[in-house]
Every structure is written in C-alpha cells, then in structure tokens.
Amino acid sequence: MTTYIAIDIQDIDGNVLFICGEMKLAIEYIREMKLTQIDQDVVPVIDEEMNCTGENIIVITVEA
C-alpha cells in the first residue's frame, strides 16, 4: 500500500489549483469546478539528503 501525505491538483501548465489530504475531497473539487482529469501520478517525497522518505504526493493534472 502506498502512503501519501497530500493530493495536489494542478493545471496542464503546472500551476497548483488545490491541495488536500483526501481523494474524496479532490474528486469533489474537480467535479464542482467542472474540470477534466487528464493524468494522475504518484511522486515520492525526497528529503534534504536526496533519500526517499517513504511518503508520496498524488499529483492530479486537470484541464477546464
């Protein structure tokens, strides 16, 4: 099971639109803003020593 610390919703230019901690909230935001999900990635969190922390961020890319 993948552990994640945040869900990051961004547009195709990489601008962060919304950050949350629950997938239900992310899906609701996308639905309410009438956005279309075009991609979803899991990005590992890297610490200052360039080591993976074991935590991840889910990045959802959307377009209007």
Side-chain angles (χ1 to χ4, degrees):
M1 182 172 153
T2 302
T3 303
Y4 67 91
I5 59 172
I7 301 169
D8 201 17
I9 300 174
Q10 65 182 21
D11 63 15
I12 57 175
D13 295 324
N15 299 311
V16 176
L17 304 174
F18 188 68
I19 298 172
C20 63
E22 294 183 23
M23 187 58 82
K24 286 182 180 182
L25 186 57
I27 292 168
E28 187 62 28
Y29 175 81
I30 292 168
R31 183 177 299 132
E32 287 293 320
M33 299 303 288
K34 296 180 175 37
L35 302 169
T36 303
Q37 180 176 336
I38 57 174
D39 194 19
Q40 179 174 317
D41 293 310
V42 176
V43 179
V45 176
I46 309 282
D47 66 14
E48 295 82 25
E49 286 114 27
M50 302 303 290
N51 297 314
C52 288
T53 65
E55 299 172 320
N56 298 288
I57 297 174
I58 298 173
V59 178
I60 300 173
T61 305
V62 296
E63 66 180 358

